[in-house]
Structure formats: structure tokens, C-alpha cells
């Protein structure tokens, strides 16, 4: 696991990305990010540290008390305790798709509701990351998906 002082390094990296206008998280233009729920965060970070290192993907450190960030240069995978409580399964898993504008996020959210999805967070600004605008849905099977745009 990342040392406690690594979060300061990550904070500096994130702040640097903010000042350059670059998105804070990455996803190669298809996904904004992916999350994986963890019942035991310590065991999960040990596992992901080992398997992702073989692919050149690093543990970039903690994000708060319940999440670790992974990526090459910017976070793309978040391993976390589910925020809604309960055991990790589809609870705690989110597939985040990259949008090109706030209008695309709005359209994503509206289309999902029209196609039988349930609202899990209306389209709008998100305060946890600067410039983030997102909309969250549950698909008809209960899986959480979202679209993110970063200005």
C-alpha cells in the first residue's frame, strides 16, 4: 500500500493537473474512470498493487479514507469501500463513460431514464473534483453507470 505521505504527492500531482487544465482522472477517451468495490480495502490494495504492477499501472495513493487510486499518470481505476454501505458486488462498481460536453452528459442521463434506467444522481456539477460535471444512473439490472465531462 502507498505510504501515508504519498497522499501529499498525489495532491500535488492533482493540483498540477488542475492548473494545466487537464482532466484529473483518465480513461482514454472512452471511460472517465472505473470503480471496483472492496469489502477489505487492505486485502484489495495488496491484490491490485501486485497484478496491476505487471501492467505498468501504479498505486497512486489514497483518496480519502475509503479509496485507493490506480493509473499510469492519472487515476483511472478506483478501488473503494462502497459508499452506499453493504457488501461489494455491483454495489460499489461504477462504469464511468467520458463525455465531450455537459450536453452529452445531459443527453446520456435523459436517454437512460427514458430507456428504463433509474436516477442515481442527476446530471450536474460535482464538487469533489474541479470542473467535473456528471450524471449517474442504474441500468435495468441495477448496475451503476455514469457519464463525466471535465471543463
Amino acid at each position: 500500500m502507498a505510504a501515508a505521505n504519498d497522499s501529499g504527492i498525489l495532491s500535488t500531482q492533482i493540483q498540477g493537473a488542475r492548473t494545466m487544465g487537464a482532466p484529473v482522472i483518465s480513461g482514454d477517451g472512452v471511460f472517465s474512470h472505473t470503480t471496483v468495490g472492496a469489502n477489505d480495502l487492505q486485502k484489495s490494495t495488496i491484490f491490485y498493487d501486485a497484478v496491476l504492477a505487471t501492467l505498468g499501472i501504479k498505486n497512486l495513493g489514497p483518496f480519502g479514507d475509503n479509496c485507493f487510486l490506480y493509473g499510469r499518470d492519472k487515476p483511472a481505476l478506483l478501488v473503494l469501500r462502497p459508499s452506499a454501505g453493504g457488501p461489494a458486488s455491483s454495489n460499489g462498481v461504477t462504469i464511468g463513460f467520458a463525455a465531450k460536453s455537459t450536453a452529452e452528459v445531459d443527453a446520456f442521463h435523459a436517454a437512460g431514464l427514458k430507456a428504463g434506467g433509474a436516477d442515481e444522481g442527476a446530471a450536474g456539477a460535482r464538487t469533489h473534483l474541479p470542473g467535473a460535471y456528471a450524471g449517474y444512473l442504474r441500468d435495468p439490472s441495477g448496475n451503476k453507470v455514469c457519464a463525466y465531462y471535465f471543463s
Side-chain angles (χ1 to χ4, degrees):
M1 267 197 292
N5 65 358
D6 286 349
S7 62
I9 294 167
L10 180 63
S11 243
T12 302
Q13 290 171 339
I14 289 174
Q15 188 59 42
R18 288 178 188 157
T19 59
M20 294 184 304
V24 177
I25 56 179
S26 65
D28 198 27
V30 176
F31 298 106
S32 64
H33 66 286
T34 301
T35 66
V36 177
N39 291 316
D40 184 321
L41 195 55
Q42 182 176 10
K43 286 182 181 178
S44 293
T45 55
I46 290 168
F47 172 81
Y48 283 104
D49 285 357
V51 299
L52 296 177
T54 67
L55 304 174
I57 299 169
K58 302 173 280 200
N59 179 331
L60 300 174
F63 185 67
D65 295 331
N66 296 309
C67 179
F68 275 82
L69 306 170
Y70 290 85
R72 289 193 172 88
D73 298 314
K74 297 184 275 188
L77 173 67
L78 290 72
V79 177
L80 49 80
R81 289 188 188 100
S83 62
S89 60
S90 65
N91 177 29
V93 176
T94 302
I95 305 300
F97 297 94
K100 294 178 183 173
S101 66
T102 58
E104 280 191 2
V105 173
D106 293 341
F108 171 92
H109 194 263
L113 292 174
K114 186 176 180 182
D119 182 30
E120 188 70 13
R126 297 298 189 259
T127 59
H128 64 283
L129 291 172
Y133 186 95
Y136 283 82
L137 298 161
R138 293 273 179 182
D139 73 13
S141 297
N143 296 300
K144 190 187 292 186
V145 296
C146 66
Y148 262 81
Y149 170 72
F150 293 94
S151 59

